[in-house]
Amino acid sequence: MTYLHSMTSSTDGIRALAPARWRGLDGLVSVFWDAEGHAGATGYYLSPDPRIVIFFNDVSSHIRMTNLEGGDNLQYRPMKRAIYVPAGVPLWTSFTSFHRFSHLDIHLHRDRLLKYLTPSLGASLALSALRRPVEIQDAAAIETLAGLLVDEVSSPSRHAAFAESLVGSIVTGLLNLDMDSHELEPANARLTQAQMNRLIAVVNERADYRMSVGEMAEAVGLSESWFANVFKHTTGKTPLQWQLTKRIGIAQEMLEQSDLSVAAIAAQLGFSDQAHLTKTFRQVAGATPAAWRRMRQGD
């Protein structure tokens, strides 16, 4: 299958240290980059096809990522060593510090992926797997396969089928293809009470009661994409909506049980300022913090 990938992208503060090395294969393109980004550097990427990104060094403390335009700090999460980005899912990145890195991009035609996965999974589960993003930090086996693929991209020494088989192994190693896992049917799954108790305990340990979705998923031992799905089925809210409601509940307790000012409560709970807390409080509780405190004191 002749395939030329297309991706909309823009970067600021990121530069390649050498020309990209790439190789087109059957229904896919592999591209290897050496690059560096400065503190404050940003990137935006959107592809009509699925893609895989594998980093050859740990970037989690230097690069953050989000799939939400205009995301605030709470919506950003650390970049993982290996990620799968489904077709049409946007990605924004931001550097917190200067960092040099190398990574392999694998752009895949959707039909090529389906052709590879369907014989083993069936069409329904293959399509389901293609729609679920994956982000993993412990990617040693995948990184080994990616290193072999980079060698074939840089200096081809074997038939293209060898490089294509490496891509196939990377795909099956990265995508969540566990046939026995309920993750393939998130609509029917729920968090257990033990998982909810664990999550509540971890959130309560934070001084401002704030966690990213990735951190919440990690706390209960689930992938971020599946956690977000089953969490809403369990609670009726997205993880961030639930967390925000919890923080407003804590604010109500502080308003009722202490003499702290609204500004002090806002600072303690991680809101940007008093106005931010007031706006959010009104949306959740139906009144401003000051009005709510007066009503409670009048009871």
Side-chain angles (χ1 to χ4, degrees):
M1 177 191 300
T2 302
Y3 167 65
L4 294 176
H5 77 281
S6 62
M7 183 169 69
T8 300
S9 64
S10 62
T11 61
D12 182 18
I14 303 172
R15 73 181 186 95
L17 299 177
R21 287 170 269 173
W22 69 278
R23 184 179 180 184
L25 299 163
D26 180 21
L28 59 99
V29 174
S30 299
V31 187
F32 177 72
W33 295 90
D34 278 310
E36 66 181 21
H38 294 270
T42 58
Y44 166 72
Y45 312 89
L46 176 63
S47 174
D49 295 311
R51 66 191 186 98
I52 291 171
V53 183
I54 302 167
F55 289 90
F56 291 95
N57 57 345
D58 184 9
V59 298
S60 60
S61 60
H62 304 280
I63 306 176
R64 302 178 304 159
M65 60 186 291
T66 183
N67 304 109
L68 301 175
E69 184 173 9
D72 59 23
N73 287 334
L74 187 62
Q75 294 164 330
Y76 272 90
R77 58 194 184 275
M79 176 68 77
K80 300 298 177 65
R81 294 290 291 267
I83 65 173
Y84 167 73
V85 185
V89 174
L91 178 67
W92 285 265
T93 62
S94 174
F95 281 68
T96 59
S97 58
F98 173 80
H99 191 57
R100 290 183 176 175
F101 59 96
S102 59
H103 65 83
L104 176 68
D105 290 349
I106 305 175
H107 302 266
L108 306 115
H109 193 284
R110 173 182 175 276
D111 292 345
R112 179 67 172 89
L113 262 181
L114 286 176
K115 180 181 177 182
Y116 180 77
L117 295 174
T118 297
S120 299
L121 300 179
S124 178
L125 292 182
L127 282 169
S128 178
L130 262 61
R131 289 193 292 263
R132 295 194 307 276
V134 178
E135 302 165 12
I136 63 174
Q137 181 65 12
D138 183 7
I142 292 172
E143 185 178 332
T144 298
L145 294 168
L148 294 172
L149 182 57
V150 168
D151 290 340
E152 286 299 304
V153 168
S154 304
S155 302
S157 62
R158 304 187 188 186
H159 191 278
F162 175 64
E164 290 165 7
S165 69
L166 288 172
V167 173
S169 296
I170 290 170
V171 168
T172 55
L174 179 59
L175 271 63
N176 182 359
L177 306 179
D178 183 357
M179 293 294 292
D180 296 325
S181 173
H182 292 299
E183 293 192 18
L184 291 175
E185 298 294 341
N188 299 322
R190 299 289 187 274
L191 293 175
T192 66
Q193 188 59 53
Q195 287 173 318
M196 283 300 302
N197 291 342
R198 169 62 180 164
L199 179 60
I200 292 170
V202 173
V203 172
N204 286 343
E205 291 173 357
R206 300 292 183 99
D208 56 5
Y209 301 91
R210 299 174 70 192
M211 294 179 69
S212 68
V213 177
E215 290 172 327
M216 295 167 75
E218 186 175 353
V220 296
L222 299 175
S223 66
E224 182 172 341
S225 57
W226 188 72
F227 169 79
N229 278 320
V230 297
F231 188 92
K232 189 166 185 179
H233 293 310
T234 303
T235 67
K237 300 176 181 179
T238 69
L240 294 181
Q241 287 171 340
W242 173 84
Q243 185 177 181
L244 189 60
T245 301
K246 180 176 180 59
R247 291 167 67 205
I248 295 301
I250 299 298
Q252 290 175 324
E253 293 179 6
M254 297 172 74
L255 286 166
E256 186 173 12
Q257 300 173 11
S258 75
D259 295 326
L260 289 173
S261 67
V262 176
I265 293 173
Q268 186 166 328
L269 294 180
F271 290 91
S272 56
D273 53 28
Q274 179 175 337
H276 184 200
L277 172 58
T278 297
K279 179 181 178 180
T280 306
F281 194 99
R282 181 187 288 130
Q283 291 172 342
V284 175
T288 67
W292 190 90
R293 173 178 263 171
R294 287 195 296 271
M295 287 188 294
R296 299 299 295 179
Q297 291 174 340
D299 289 347

